[in-house]
Amino acid sequence: MKRTKHVIIFIISIIVIIGCCLVAGIGFGGGHIGAARNITLGLDLRGGVSVTYQTVEENPSAMDMADTIYKLQLRVQQYSTDASVYQEGTNRITVEIPGVYDTQTVIDELGRPGSLQFVTYDQTTESGATDYDNPTVWVSGTDIANAQAASQSDQRTGSSEFVVQLQLNEEGAAKFADATAKYLNQIIYIVYDGEVVSSPRVQSVISDGNCIIEGMESYEAATTLASTIRIGSLSLELEEVSSKVVSAKLGDNAISTSLIAGLIGILLIMIFMIIYYRIPGLAAALAMIFYTAAMLLLLNAFNLTLTISGIAGIILTIGMAVDGNVIINARIKEEINAGYSIEQSIKNGFRKSTSAILDGNITTLIVAIVLMIFGSGTVNGFGMTLAIGIVLSVITSLLVTRVLMFSMLYMGCDKPSMFASAKKSVKQAFDFVGKRAVAFIIAIVCICAGIVAMIVGGASGNRALNMSIEFVGGVSTTVDFPEDVTIDSFNNEIKPAIAEVIGSNDIEGQKVTGSTQYVIKTQTLDVDKREAMQTLLEETYGADPESFETTFISSTISSELLRDAYVSLIIAAVLMLLYIWIRFRKFKFAISSVICLLHDVMIVIAFFAIFRLSVGNSFIACILTIVGYSINATIVIFDRIRENLADATINHDLKFVVNRSISQSMTRSILTSATTFVTVLFLYILGVESMKAFALPLAVGIIAGAFSSVLLAGSLFYMLHKKNDRLDVKGVKAVKPAVEGPAEKAKETVQEVKKITANPNRKKKNRKQ
């Protein structure tokens, strides 16, 4: 009966997994509801124009910001129904229009203050000429209630003509009645941003607030004018602070390469889990399939916009999802080798793994929340996908994997060889603490090398780090040439030609390794110079018109990006320190963890300083991700130390406990870091340049995190306790060595320890013996 029940549970689980995959892959209904194809793609995946504006007023009201966003949203609909307008911070608005690549037109249409006015011009008293410098404003855009294009029959000819029907609000109607009464049979000009867009002649006094603008040459012209009037003047004056153009070609490449990298990474992880852990590995592999499908469904359900960094976040969380399963499976393997039954080993494995899985994922979730709160644009999107992935990975590891594993156990997969090898645990742990000096020297040398590289870089007239356009301000243009362009060819031929066009020698060219792409950085350029440079590269050097990706960022945004990065890093570190302190009840655990995190961050920064790699916006997200991710291994080791210190059956000499805990967690640390590293490696090998910029520091951070967790964290904790080499845990000073065996033997040892503690004379006698 029990077996039948679990067969049914297993079949239902497989049906649910297959169902999630089908919905995520195909969807259901005519609109393919739930399918991955319906996930909203960001500009960097679809191609188009993104412009960020800042209000001239420093502290605009929430009402004025909301009104401006609404009117901009109405404006951008003429370009694309998929266009979006959203607020960033307190005084910035970003407009994203997929499928549009004419930045000059977009900026001209959207970047202006947008003041709409109905005006008249009077004659001067001296010369009698029309005074165009001092118009009388009768009605502004805020007085217009509605404007629609329409057609009507000409009363004289009977032919159809196109018009704009206006409806004014109560205040506007009163003002317009005065204007039409005063200027009957004269012209009232409609002026938009200082330009006359229409010159209708007043044929009668209009007192009801409804009027018609005649003389439109086409319905399209009437629609355009109606849209202009309907939107009215913006409540706030805006100025452009950054803009970006992404070609559709780059977006398509980013999607395809990301999918390939993700698929390869998932398949390799699944194959490895099955080979190494057998039945638990098969359960984990099935759970990972569910995790991937569920992640796509959640992106659809929450209507999240998927960007390049978001894809990287998903692939990263797929790599991290294996972490929980590795911890669980490693524990199950230990319990089986210790002599427990298969069923009890599985129960113990999940029970003993829960705290480490929750603590590790919660600390990473803290980083994701910090990214969502303090990040903007792609960083914020990365934080969203990372947070969803973390929550889903915990559910997958602790619930889905558990159900599948117990189902397969009760279906007949109950042989020890199906769950673990016959290899016994090694009783003699490696002396990590004793060799700590070597690890510390390696860490210090690497960090010092980075500091020296930054000093040399600053002394040579460059910046300490090779800061990209996101930090220093200016224009960055990525372009694909028809053939490989050498660095010498760029510096001697292309660079001087660009300098002549833009009128500046402040130009940097960076070749994208393994491709024909170049990243060209210049000072801030106006639209005309940007387009002149693009024309030069296309016509003279054969650059692919569809490959251009242009980013403009002002120095204001650059400084704020740095400030936000520092704030995010500090807040994340403080919150994690507090969490670890509370959970582990020892400040020494928390301070050791934070020191290791600082080590990981400094190693990554040193790597970029030594090799003069470009430090961009995605670098910030990577640093914060490393902070959250690398602490996982540290927490797993600290969780083992905490568990072993509370275990009355083992020797509580701190050095022994730390070395033992690291050795017990070694397999997990290596496997998790290796699987995640492989996924990120494929992302770097196959990804486009923006993906590579994300994957490279992440790969370095994974290596640094594994090093600090295994070789530094435990030793730091030990050094902080050095004066109290033997620890009292719950009043018991254990003298027995670690026990490796079934539960019955362990219980006997505990009883023996209690007898020793209760009888001091016997304790002394045993010591003499």
Side-chain angles (χ1 to χ4, degrees), residues 268-285:
L268 287 176
I269 291 172
M270 289 171 57
I271 292 171
F272 165 77
M273 295 288 284
I274 294 172
I275 293 175
Y276 193 83
Y277 288 115
R278 302 167 194 183
I279 291 299
L282 177 60

Side-chain angles (χ1 to χ4, degrees), residues 549-567:
E549 179 179 351
T550 305
T551 302
F552 158 70
I553 294 183
S554 71
S555 57
T556 302
I557 285 193
S558 306
S559 59
E560 291 184 4
L561 278 172
L562 281 174
R563 183 197 64 196
D564 292 345
Y566 294 143
V567 171

Side-chain angles (χ1 to χ4, degrees), residues 690-702:
S690 52
M691 281 290 191
K692 293 177 185 289
F694 187 95
L696 184 59
L698 197 56
V700 175
I702 290 172

Side-chain angles (χ1 to χ4, degrees), residues 23 94-95 199 285 287 385 606:
V23 174
T94 293
V95 178
S199 307
T385 53

Side-chain angles (χ1 to χ4, degrees), residues 562-760:
L562 281 174
R563 183 197 64 196
D564 292 345
Y566 294 143
V567 171
S568 299
L569 187 59
I570 292 172
I571 291 176
V574 170
L575 290 177
M576 285 189 292
L577 186 148
L578 291 174
Y579 177 80
I580 297 171
W581 186 4
I582 293 171
R583 284 289 291 133
F584 286 82
R585 299 181 181 180
K586 285 183 180 293
F587 185 72
K588 297 178 180 66
F589 279 121
I591 195 65
S592 301
S593 300
V594 172
I595 292 174
C596 288
L597 291 181
L598 292 176
H599 161 271
D600 300 341
V601 171
M602 294 175 72
I603 289 294
V604 174
I605 293 175
F607 178 82
F608 273 75
I610 293 170
F611 294 97
R612 300 299 296 172
L613 300 177
S614 178
V615 177
N617 194 14
S618 59
F619 175 83
I620 300 173
C622 288
I623 289 293
L624 291 170
T625 305
I626 289 165
V627 167
Y629 176 75
S630 66
I631 201 172
N632 279 340
T634 302
I635 285 181
V636 171
I637 292 173
F638 283 172
D639 187 72
R640 277 298 183 111
I641 293 175
R642 177 177 58 180
E643 178 184 330
N644 287 334
L645 287 175
D647 188 349
T649 68
I650 68 171
N651 184 350
H652 284 112
D653 177 80
L654 184 58
K655 185 175 181 180
F656 172 83
V657 169
V658 171
N659 285 330
R660 174 184 171 85
S661 301
I662 297 174
S663 298
Q664 289 173 325
S665 307
M666 177 67 73
T667 300
R668 176 264 163 205
S669 299
I670 294 175
L671 294 182
T672 302
S673 298
T675 51
T676 308
F677 180 83
V678 167
T679 305
V680 175
L681 179 63
F682 276 104
L683 192 63
Y684 179 79
I685 294 173
L686 301 175
V688 295
E689 182 60 24
S690 52
M691 281 290 191
K692 293 177 185 289
F694 187 95
L696 184 59
L698 197 56
V700 175
I702 290 172
I703 296 173
F707 176 87
S708 65
S709 298
V710 174
L711 300 177
L712 300 181
S715 297
L716 286 170
F717 177 76
Y718 170 78
M719 290 171 65
L720 292 173
H721 281 86
K722 197 169 184 181
K723 293 182 179 178
N724 184 19
D725 216 17
R726 295 178 59 83
L727 296 181
D728 290 335
V729 182
K730 295 183 179 180
V732 178
K733 286 188 176 181
V735 296
K736 287 279 184 179
V739 176
E740 300 290 347
E744 291 75 20
K745 186 176 180 181
K747 290 179 181 178
E748 293 176 2
T749 305
V750 172
Q751 293 173 357
E752 181 66 20
V753 171
K754 289 181 178 179
K755 291 178 182 179
I756 293 174
T757 309
N759 190 340

